[in-house]
Amino acid sequence: IRASINFQTDRDGSIKLAFNQMQQNLFMLSNTMSVGPNTQWKLADYHLKPSKSMQVSLGVFRSIPKEGLETSVEVYAKQTRNLPEFKDGANFLGSPAVETTILQGDQKSYGIEFFVKRSGRKLTGWLSYTYSRSIVQVKNKNSLGDINDGKEYPSNYDIPHILNALINY
């Protein structure tokens, strides 16, 4: 399911609200334990449930034509269930049954992005700052199926602060 509403506040501004519901049945399993990273694809099956996510975002967009500026602020939150994670010390390359090396948990992600773009001048470009978090928790019915003792931990893609800039003259 995907839905979005774009509300034009005036000639130079708008507000956008969006919702996404997704399901993933094919997983790319990556292993960085060896000298070179290895990848294997795995379909959801009896042992590995499909991953399901819901995401909501809200953005405020504003143009300032006199200055040649476009600005925006966007926030988002995403909740994922059945996220595949490797057991501690797992080696899927040496295992004939990959599903025995994988546990599934929950992931929550959220963030905010500030964006400014200048165009129509000799000096153009854009500046973007993002604060975001991506936290995983793998807590199963028995303690043998936990990662990090069932406590939350940052995902592999958790990069809290990102600053990007592009300048053209």
Side-chain angles (χ1 to χ4, degrees), residues 58-140:
L58 174 68
V60 177
F61 305 87
R62 189 89 190 144
S63 294
I64 308 170
K66 190 184 266 188
E67 303 296 324
L69 294 175
E70 295 175 30
T71 63
S72 68
V73 177
E74 290 185 78
V75 295
Y76 78 94
K78 181 178 180 180
Q79 183 71 42
T80 303
R81 302 270 184 236
N82 302 322
L83 179 79
E85 287 281 293
F86 284 112
K87 290 180 182 178
D88 292 336
N91 179 5
F92 73 80
L93 294 175
S95 175
V98 176
E99 58 273 3
T100 63
T101 63
I102 300 171
L103 297 172
Q104 290 186 290
D106 297 330
Q107 179 181 32
K108 60 183 174 187
S109 306
Y110 55 89
I112 185 167
E113 179 185 58
F114 301 94
F115 180 79
V116 177
K117 179 181 176 182
R118 184 175 186 210
S119 57
R121 305 286 196 270
K122 282 187 177 183
L123 182 65
T124 64
W126 53 264
L127 178 68
S128 167
Y129 169 74
T130 305
Y131 175 79
S132 63
R133 295 304 315 260
S134 177
I135 307 297
V136 177
Q137 183 178 29
V138 179
K139 186 173 185 174
N140 290 310

Side-chain angles (χ1 to χ4, degrees), residues 24-44:
Q24 184 172 337
N25 295 300
L26 180 64
F27 304 101
M28 183 176 74
L29 307 176
S30 296
N31 185 345
T32 57
M33 291 176 55
S34 59
V35 176
N38 294 295
T39 301
Q40 180 176 344
W41 292 93
K42 176 77 173 105
L43 279 170

